[in-house]
Amino acid sequence: MMPGFVLFLISSLTLATVYALVALALNFEAGVDGLWDLGVVSFFAAGAYAYAILTVGPPDQMQVYRLGFGLPLWIGVIGAAGAGTLVAYLIGRASLHLKHVYYLITTFAFAEVIREVLTNERWLTNGTAGMYRMAQPFKSSFETNLYPLVLLLVMVAILVVVFIALNRVTKRPFGRALNALRENEDLAATAGMAPYRYHLRSAMIAGAVAGIAGACYVWFNTVIVPQQFTSSITFVAWTVIVVGGLGNNRGAVLGAFLLILTEDVLRLFDLSSTVAVRVASARVAVIGLILMAVLRWRPRGVLPEKRPRFSRSEALVPAEAPAQGLQQVGSGE
Amino acid sequence: MLETREVSKHFGGVKAVNGVSLMVEEYAIVGLIGPNGAGKTTLFSVISGALSLTSGRVSFEGADISGHRPWEIAEKGVVRTFQTPRGFPRMSVLENMLVFASERTTGFWKNLLAGGRLSAEERRNISRADEILSSVGLLDRRNVLVEELSAGELKLLEFARPLMAKPKMLLLDEPAAGVNPALLEHVVTYITQLRNNGLTFFIVDHNLGFIMDICDHLYVMADGELICSGAPDAVACDPNVIESYIGTKTETTV
């Protein structure tokens, strides 16, 4: 049996992993690309509910939802990614042809709409009573008291895979194109890039990643209720990437662990109920203080975005290239 | 190569560009001058697709490009520069070049699944970028952020960047503005050299010395309309041009 402190730490780390995934998603669209999303929680919620509906069993007598496919959990995760992508596509399609501020407004509004839908469409979500007994990965293969650690490892593995994938794309021409659009959209268009197409893709990628994070969140909680998906998730994710370093994938992960662990440390102390209430509200203040401190002393985050340095091409390309290059300078096709 | 026919752009009642017809021949350096507010930049924006046109027609290599979007026109080989160069400020000089590379694989899945640190394509682009950067003297600055460049360096990058796209035609919006005389000489040689390599130029500028020097043919705009065109020397003596720049005799005596 693991001691309470260790269990607590594992639980905090698991939650931090979920936030790291959301932060990576947000960082991709808002940091690598320049789309300010104030409703990343809607991708997250869509993913979580898609996972829940696909994997949960049929309802019991107390529940009113009609669907509950009881499908294998990996299908649930794919469905979660798909649902997040779909929501991003719908929002993006409606708003990305316009100026970016409209994306911000639409995402913000959509986040409220989706929570209302989740609350009121009880046939689908069981309303505020929520759904429970959620399928967790490898649950039956391990002892109950060891399982939190297993779940943490599974989620860390997902985080590592997502991180590698996003970081790879960020550093390659696709990510560079998004950076360029973020920096100067008019100029990027004269390079032959259709801004809408790139923005829609970055939003959909963010949607997929946040959707997967939603499935992880369901594993972590084992129940799902609409109240879990308030806008505070969006704002924590924003704080995380601003503290970590906007545009830097490592920063997003580091920021998530930094913030969530700091926040949770305040829960560690055994307190009387009256003090506990005060400490709980102090947690928000602590996050705010961290944000202010970072903005004051490290305005580009703990790990600022770094540009890649390329070594001179002479070292990279064999001798024939420079001569060829000379002819190519400015030559029309 | 590039032709505008009766092109107009009106903003409400303001006729920023009004019935302008002009032509840019292949391998030519054609200039467009006129006092402030004549509609030169607006015309550029219409040609490059940044602004829609109110009426008229723009064609490039015989094909109608009026109303096409900026990236479509860029893909056809017409690349414009901007009056105030800003570049992609928080990206390195080399990255600024790479964004414009004519051959680039920017598909998400292709980028995700390709192995290796640098693709062969990327290496080719880097070597081409280095080649162009060294020709404008920016090779040593290749890993510097663009926001850290001096105004002169930024101007040079503004020339170098579009070349990565292997354009057929460059629309330069005030390339001589804010450029010191020594650098300007360099710019003139550079543009001439590029033209000899097969590029066509359409240039807007206020620096008459520069534009007379470099252009084969000039167009003059005032109040949204074309008032004169011809060889630089002829245009300079045209009474209409003199009037629009320094006013008429009667006006000056009043």
Side-chain angles (χ1 to χ4, degrees), chain A residues 168 172 176 183 198 307 310, chain B residues 90 95 114 116 122 142:
Chain A
R168 192 165 221 219
R172 292 185 171 182
R176 193 184 298 137
E183 291 291 302
Y198 283 90
R307 301 317 310 177
F310 297 96
Chain B
R90 286 198 197 170
E95 285 183 292
E122 188 96 323
R142 63 205 288 285

Side-chain angles (χ1 to χ4, degrees), chain B residues 92-187:
Chain B
S92 73
V93 168
L94 188 63
E95 285 183 292
N96 266 255
M97 301 289 285
L98 293 177
V99 168
F100 273 70
S102 55
E103 285 137 43
R104 52 166 196 257
T105 309
T106 52
F108 168 73
W109 292 109
K110 277 187 182 154
N111 275 225
L112 180 64
L113 301 173
R117 258 183 61 78
L118 277 177
S119 67
E121 175 192 81
E122 188 96 323
R123 273 190 303 237
R124 276 197 303 278
N125 286 337
I126 291 175
S127 102
R128 230 165 72 75
D130 280 353
E131 209 51 58
I132 296 170
L133 286 175
S134 81
S135 73
V136 295
L138 283 176
L139 191 58
D140 291 336
R141 308 286 277 164
R142 63 205 288 285
N143 282 321
V144 172
L145 290 189
V146 165
E147 64 181 357
E148 289 163 17
L149 293 183
S150 70
E153 288 170 329
L154 203 53
K155 210 80 205 190
L156 288 172
L157 179 62
E158 201 68 12
F159 282 105
R161 200 194 295 112
L163 297 182
M164 284 300 285
K166 294 186 183 165
K168 294 172 184 164
M169 179 171 195
L170 282 181
L171 308 177
L172 304 180
D173 199 351
E174 301 205 13
V179 174
N180 67 53
L183 189 60
L184 193 58
E185 213 167 294
H186 190 74
V187 166

Side-chain angles (χ1 to χ4, degrees), chain A:
Chain A
M1 187 70 196
M2 283 187 275
F5 172 72
V6 176
L7 274 175
F8 177 79
L9 188 66
I10 288 174
S11 147
S12 287
L13 287 170
T14 313
L15 183 62
T17 313
V18 175
Y19 272 101
L21 283 167
V22 180
L24 277 174
L26 183 62
N27 183 56
F28 196 75
E29 57 175 347
V32 178
D33 194 358
L35 299 176
W36 286 35
D37 182 339
L38 284 188
V40 71
V41 67
S42 40
F43 309 156
F44 185 64
Y49 269 93
Y51 176 82
I53 291 162
L54 287 171
T55 58
V56 79
D60 61 30
Q61 287 174 336
M62 307 291 289
Q63 292 170 309
V64 296
Y65 66 84
R66 311 254 174 78
L67 305 173
F69 296 99
L71 291 169
L73 145 175
W74 60 271
I75 294 181
V77 175
I78 292 172
T85 313
L86 180 68
V87 170
Y89 173 79
L90 293 173
I91 295 176
R93 202 125 181 208
S95 63
L96 284 175
H97 276 299
L98 305 167
K99 290 199 168 115
H100 290 186
V101 65
Y102 289 98
Y103 184 72
L104 180 150
I105 295 166
T106 315
T107 48
F108 188 62
F110 204 90
E112 296 307 309
V113 171
I114 205 164
R115 203 154 44 87
E116 288 300 316
V117 169
L118 296 174
T119 308
N120 293 309
E121 300 301 319
R122 297 171 66 210
W123 63 274
L124 188 67
T125 65
N126 208 39
T128 46
M131 293 187 274
Y132 32 86
R133 286 196 299 271
M134 290 295 148
Q136 288 175 300
F138 313 115
K139 179 78 172 173
S140 52
S141 323
F142 293 91
E143 285 174 58
T144 316
N145 57 24
L146 199 64
Y147 186 72
L149 183 61
V150 174
L151 184 62
L152 173 62
L153 293 177
V154 169
M155 275 154 65
V156 167
I158 290 176
L159 176 63
V160 168
V161 170
V162 167
F163 175 84
I164 290 173
L166 285 184
N167 212 33
R168 192 165 221 219
V169 173
T170 302
K171 288 185 174 151
R172 292 185 171 182
F174 180 70
R176 193 184 298 137
L178 295 180
N179 287 156
L181 286 160
R182 174 194 75 189
E183 291 291 302
N184 190 341
E185 192 164 300
D186 291 337
L187 183 59
T190 69
M193 290 170 189
Y196 168 75
R197 255 180 263 158
Y198 283 90
H199 290 317
L200 187 62
R201 263 168 219 162
S202 80
M204 285 165 71
I205 291 160
V209 171
I212 293 170
C216 293
Y217 197 48
V218 175
W219 294 342
F220 174 72
N221 288 315
T222 69
V223 297
I224 183 167
V225 290
Q227 299 91 305
Q228 290 165 332
F229 302 96
T230 60
S231 279
S232 85
I233 289 185
T234 302
F235 295 112
V236 170
W238 264 105
T239 312
V240 162
I241 63 172
V242 170
V243 167
L246 202 57
N248 187 328
N249 292 316
R250 280 165 206 239
V253 175
L254 178 80
F257 280 88
L258 203 72
L259 241 64
I260 301 301
L261 292 185
T262 313
E263 197 188 30
D264 270 9
V265 161
L266 297 170
R267 266 202 305 210
L268 253 182
F269 309 104
D270 225 350
L271 300 163
S272 69
S273 56
T274 45
V275 184
V277 171
R278 278 188 212 156
V279 171
S281 43
R283 280 160 56 198
V284 183
V286 168
I287 298 282
L289 282 175
I290 293 176
L291 181 62
M292 282 158 69
V294 166
L295 288 176
R296 171 64 185 79
W297 285 289
R298 290 195 68 106
R300 292 196 184 170
V302 179
L303 296 176
E305 184 190 44
K306 262 197 188 152
R307 301 317 310 177
R309 296 179 68 85
F310 297 96
S311 48
R312 289 270 174 93
S313 54
E314 284 82 358
L316 290 163
V317 181
E320 34 86 30
Q324 191 195 0
L326 251 184
Q327 286 167 357
Q328 284 175 346
V329 172
S331 65
E333 283 285 273

